[in-house]
Amino acid sequence: MSPEAPPPFLGHDGAITLAAALVVAALTAGLAPLAATLAVLRTARATGTAPPAPPARILVLGHRLEGGAPSSIFVARLARAAELARAAPDARLLLLGGQTSPDAPAEAEVGRDWLAARGIAPGRIGVETRSRHTLENLANHRAAHGPAAGEALVTSRLHMHRALRMARGLGLSPAPVAAEEAFRLDLPGLLTEGFMVHWYVTGRTMARLLRRRAWLARIG
């Protein structure tokens, strides 16, 4: 039998909620995505570089590869995860990220090799290689491991607010850990993340109001 095909990247519900997010943005004269953008900015500035207690598991969100190698954004996440792993030698690492470009390796596998080359024992590193974006990263992790205490979530500062909202929507409660030492303003990235959060909030609100169980199962 051929392997089961993955669900569409966007999907029918994703297209509907994207259209709804655009309508809400227009009806609010941009105030709804602006509010989301300010929330992204607050989280980006406030997130620390270490969890409050040594984690039992370190989750690392992937990032699109560049020529089959980790991007500078992914390297920053991996370097932070390596630092946490050395400080918490009993912690397991779990890299989340599948194949997001044709003929490219999975992000998680490339990240595992990067960490192993820098002295992190491969036996400590797990990989999730089926996901193509943040929501799938976290949903696949939850399906495989369930909610667990003592998890740290490593990602970029601008990405953190969206990742945390999605994680908490799925019933996860990781401690946020920023990849970068300090926040640096990236206006295009900030505006993009603000809209992505606005889209997620719009979709989740619609799913709850319409009682769409299939949508809620996907987005939390």
Side-chain angles (χ1 to χ4, degrees), residues 2-86:
S2 59
E4 183 180 352
F9 185 84
L10 183 62
H12 181 68
D13 52 342
I16 291 173
T17 57
L18 174 58
L22 292 170
V23 169
V24 171
L27 290 177
T28 62
L31 291 179
L34 176 61
T37 300
L38 293 175
V40 169
L41 181 60
R42 286 193 297 270
T43 301
R45 287 175 167 168
T47 301
T49 56
R57 184 186 290 134
I58 301 165
L59 309 178
V60 188
L61 294 178
H63 189 267
R64 186 176 293 274
L65 304 176
E66 295 179 351
S71 66
S72 59
I73 290 174
F74 196 13
V75 166
R77 298 177 188 180
L78 293 167
R80 180 67 66 201
E83 179 183 293
L84 294 183
R86 295 185 185 106

Side-chain angles (χ1 to χ4, degrees), residues 23-218:
V23 169
V24 171
L27 290 177
T28 62
L31 291 179
L34 176 61
T37 300
L38 293 175
V40 169
L41 181 60
R42 286 193 297 270
T43 301
R45 287 175 167 168
T47 301
T49 56
R57 184 186 290 134
I58 301 165
L59 309 178
V60 188
L61 294 178
H63 189 267
R64 186 176 293 274
L65 304 176
E66 295 179 351
S71 66
S72 59
I73 290 174
F74 196 13
V75 166
R77 298 177 188 180
L78 293 167
R80 180 67 66 201
E83 179 183 293
L84 294 183
R86 295 185 185 106
D90 294 330
R92 294 269 303 166
L93 294 95
L94 180 60
L95 305 182
L96 308 174
Q99 184 184 34
T100 52
S101 299
D103 302 320
E107 295 167 1
E109 292 172 339
V110 171
R112 177 191 58 200
D113 294 344
W114 191 97
L115 288 169
R118 285 152 184 82
I120 305 300
R124 295 179 65 188
I125 306 170
V127 295
E128 183 286 306
T129 60
R130 293 176 56 243
S131 55
R132 297 160 297 172
H133 51 72
T134 303
L135 188 56
E136 284 187 355
N137 290 159
L138 297 166
N140 289 344
H141 164 59
R142 182 191 63 174
H145 301 99
E151 290 186 331
L153 177 65
V154 179
T155 192
S156 310
R157 289 181 178 272
L158 284 180
H159 187 229
M160 185 61 75
H161 188 79
R162 176 159 56 105
L164 283 178
R165 287 202 74 130
M166 290 178 171
R168 291 165 181 166
L170 291 165
L172 305 172
S173 54
V177 177
E180 308 93 339
E181 283 294 326
F183 171 73
R184 292 184 180 180
L185 182 61
D186 168 11
L187 187 57
L190 175 62
L191 294 175
T192 298
E193 278 297 327
F195 184 80
M196 295 296 286
V197 170
H198 165 66
W199 178 11
Y200 173 74
V201 171
T202 301
R204 194 160 187 259
T205 301
M206 280 187 65
R208 289 180 174 273
L209 290 175
L210 299 176
R211 299 182 181 179
R212 298 300 294 265
R213 293 183 180 178
W215 294 10
L216 287 170
R218 182 179 179 188

